[in-house]
């Protein structure tokens, strides 16, 4: 379509838009790097990112998408594609596979990714199940704090918690700083009972881990688990077979030994609940950040998906996402594994 005809196109009126529909997003501006000199150097050393070749690399990935996956229905703007290049150290083929997997995952698990927006998850956010600490760690990683004990299963299913996690990851990965530095997860398992743990069965574990490892452009630098009860041995037994060795080696179990935690995460960035000096744990600030991003999430996750079933055949879905996978996910099967840790 010509530029002239584009300029004559009128936007739909507000009255013609449904609750989850928005006018098309404006054309994104040309890419402007927001990285500090220090992070540019870090990206060069750790991610093989060369500023002088950056836009050439983005264009190469864009050309591959257009040629090999024309029906992917993905954003092709510079900033978006850079997420995938950085996550795969500027290996074009691996970045393309990650991008295809990313969209395949979203279509393979509609219970999680459909209608993914902050206003749909207010109950989860208000519960304090997760938040992002206000201070980064010494490496510049944001710290995602997850507290499963805040979840009451009778209030909503576990998939709502998973939706809140992905909502947060999507927001975090918008930052170039996070794309380079990655994130750290702090998981507090205090008070997690056998009945609550049984909701996180092998099938859900495979899906979540598969997406995080092979279907989402984020670098998980460490997972610190604190206050884990004996039951966590059973939970970890469910998770570990699906973890790649590199990720498995980044799990650190501290129990109730906060001094052990502090050797990795300094007290200056932690709330007092974890022996830190950064005040009380605040969930309000991060919730407000997410809720202020409502329009972005509506535009990205709440619009009709294009007809592109070929995506699933083009992808190499993370283990556990294939629709033909059969997995006994009954509570009885899970509990039999968890009981073994007693």
């Amino acid at each position: 379509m010509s530029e002239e005809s584009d300029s004559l196109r009128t936007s739909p009126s507000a009255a013609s838009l449904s609750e989850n529909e928005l006018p098309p997003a404006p054309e994104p501006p040309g890419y402007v790097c927001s990285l500090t000199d220090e992070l540019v150097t870090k990206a060069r050393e750790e991610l093989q990112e060369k500023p002088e070749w950056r836009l050439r690399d983005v264009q190469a990935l864009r050309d591959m998408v257009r040629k090999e996956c024309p029906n992917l229905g993905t954003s092709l703007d510079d900033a978006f594609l850079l997420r995938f290049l950085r996550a795969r150290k500027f290996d074009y083929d691996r970045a393309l596979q990650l991008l295809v997997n990313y969209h395949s995952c979203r279509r393979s698990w509609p219970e999680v990714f459909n209608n993914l927006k902050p206003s749909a998850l207010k109950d989860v956010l208000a519960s304090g199940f997760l938040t992002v600490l206000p201070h980064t760690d010494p490496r510049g990683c944001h710290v995602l704090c997850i507290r499963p004990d805040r979840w009451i299963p009778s209030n909503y299913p576990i998939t709502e918690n998973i939706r809140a996690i992905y909502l947060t990851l999507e927001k975090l990965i918008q930052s170039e700083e996070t794309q380079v530095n990655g994130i750290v997860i702090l998981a507090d398992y205090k008070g997690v009972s056998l009945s609550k743990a049984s909701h996180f069965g092998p099938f859900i574990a495979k899906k979540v881990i598969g997406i995080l490892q092979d279907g989402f452009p984020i670098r998980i630098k460490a997972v610190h688990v604190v206050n884990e009860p004996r039951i966590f041995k059973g939970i970890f037994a469910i998770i570990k077979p699906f973890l790649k060795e590199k990720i498995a080696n980044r799990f650190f179990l501290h129990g109730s030994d906060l001094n052990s935690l502090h050797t990795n995460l300094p007290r200056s960035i932690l709330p007092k609940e974890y022996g830190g000096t950064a005040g009380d744990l605040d969930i309000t600030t991060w919730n407000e950040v997410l809720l202020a991003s409502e329009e972005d999430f509506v535009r990205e996750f709440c619009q009709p998906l294009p007809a592109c079933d070929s995506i699933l055949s083009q992808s190499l879905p993370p283990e556990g996402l294939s629709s033909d996978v059969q997995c006994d996910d009954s509570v009885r099967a899970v509990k039999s594994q968890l009981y073994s840790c007693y």
Side-chain angles (χ1 to χ4, degrees):
M1 185 175 290
S2 70
E3 291 183 4
E4 180 180 358
S5 60
D6 276 338
S7 66
L8 294 176
R9 183 183 298 164
T10 57
S11 299
S13 66
S16 68
L17 297 173
S18 69
E19 178 184 356
N20 282 337
E21 290 180 329
L22 290 173
E27 192 69 22
Y31 171 75
V32 177
C33 182
S34 64
L35 297 175
T36 63
D37 291 343
E38 181 181 358
L39 285 177
V40 167
T41 299
K42 183 176 183 178
R44 183 188 291 272
E45 294 174 351
E46 295 186 10
L47 307 181
Q48 319 306 318
E49 177 175 347
K50 298 178 174 61
E52 62 273 21
W53 292 354
R54 185 188 288 128
L55 294 182
R56 181 208 67 174
D57 294 335
V58 169
Q59 186 59 48
L61 179 57
R62 184 182 294 117
D63 291 342
M64 291 176 70
V65 174
R66 287 171 171 162
K67 179 180 179 181
E68 301 180 30
C69 310
N71 299 318
L72 192 57
T74 185
S75 169
L76 293 175
D77 71 72
D78 296 345
F80 182 77
L81 294 179
L82 264 174
R83 302 176 189 180
F84 296 86
L85 285 165
R86 285 171 172 151
R88 290 299 179 263
K89 298 186 176 181
F90 282 76
D91 181 315
Y92 298 166
D93 291 328
R94 293 176 65 227
L96 176 62
Q97 190 61 67
L98 178 61
L99 177 62
V100 171
N101 284 351
Y102 171 80
H103 286 285
S104 175
C105 291
R106 287 174 54 173
R107 288 162 174 79
S108 297
W109 206 358
E111 300 95 326
V112 168
F113 291 101
N114 284 3
N115 198 38
L116 186 65
K117 58 182 180 179
S119 63
L121 292 164
K122 285 184 176 180
D123 289 345
V124 182
L125 299 178
S127 75
F129 170 78
L130 87 170
T131 192
V132 174
L133 302 187
H135 305 292
T136 59
D137 79 353
R139 297 178 295 179
C141 302
H142 280 289
V143 180
L144 171 59
C145 180
I146 299 176
R147 298 184 294 168
D149 71 301
R150 309 294 293 184
W151 172 50
I152 301 175
S154 60
N155 287 353
Y156 45 80
I158 193 172
T159 48
E160 292 298 284
N161 294 329
I162 297 169
R163 280 161 58 78
I165 291 172
Y166 285 121
L167 187 84
T168 290
L169 294 179
E170 286 283 352
K171 184 60 183 176
L172 285 172
I173 204 59
Q174 291 176 6
S175 163
E176 289 196 283
E177 177 184 350
T178 300
Q179 293 168 27
V180 174
N181 290 329
I183 66 167
V184 167
I185 296 174
L186 172 60
D188 181 358
Y189 276 83
K190 181 179 181 180
V192 174
S193 64
L194 174 63
S195 61
K196 185 174 291 188
S198 67
H199 290 266
F200 193 68
F203 190 49
I204 287 180
K206 290 176 72 174
K207 279 176 173 277
V208 171
I209 293 168
I211 294 173
L212 289 177
Q213 292 186 142
D214 298 309
F216 197 87
I218 201 161
R219 306 173 72 206
I220 299 176
K221 305 301 291 183
V223 179
H224 295 285
V225 181
V226 297
N227 297 320
E228 69 273 17
R230 286 188 299 170
I231 194 67
F232 188 80
K233 293 180 181 179
I235 297 174
F236 197 65
I238 293 172
I239 295 174
K240 193 170 183 179
F242 312 128
L243 293 173
K244 294 180 179 179
E245 182 179 2
K246 180 175 71 173
I247 298 296
N249 290 337
R250 293 177 180 175
F251 270 74
F252 302 93
L253 309 183
H254 302 284
S256 59
D257 183 3
L258 295 181
N259 289 328
S260 171
L261 174 66
H262 298 158
T263 62
N264 295 274
L265 297 177
R267 297 176 68 239
S268 60
I269 74 166
L270 292 171
K272 70 178 186 180
E273 286 85 348
Y274 302 110
T277 59
D280 294 330
L281 181 63
D282 171 33
I283 67 170
T284 303
T285 301
W286 181 250
N287 288 354
E288 290 175 349
V289 169
L290 290 177
L291 291 168
S293 304
E294 177 82 2
E295 185 173 306
D296 291 339
F297 280 98
V298 168
R299 182 173 282 115
E300 177 64 23
F301 289 92
C302 303
Q303 306 306 314
L305 292 174
C308 47
D309 292 339
S310 60
I311 291 176
L312 298 179
S313 64
Q314 293 168 342
S315 67
L316 297 174
E319 187 178 2
L321 288 174
S322 175
S323 59
D324 59 312
V325 172
Q326 298 298 319
C327 180
D328 182 1
D329 197 33
S330 68
V331 172
R332 179 179 299 175
V334 177
K335 284 187 176 181
S336 68
Q337 299 180 60
L338 298 180
Y339 274 126
S340 66
C341 71
Y342 282 101

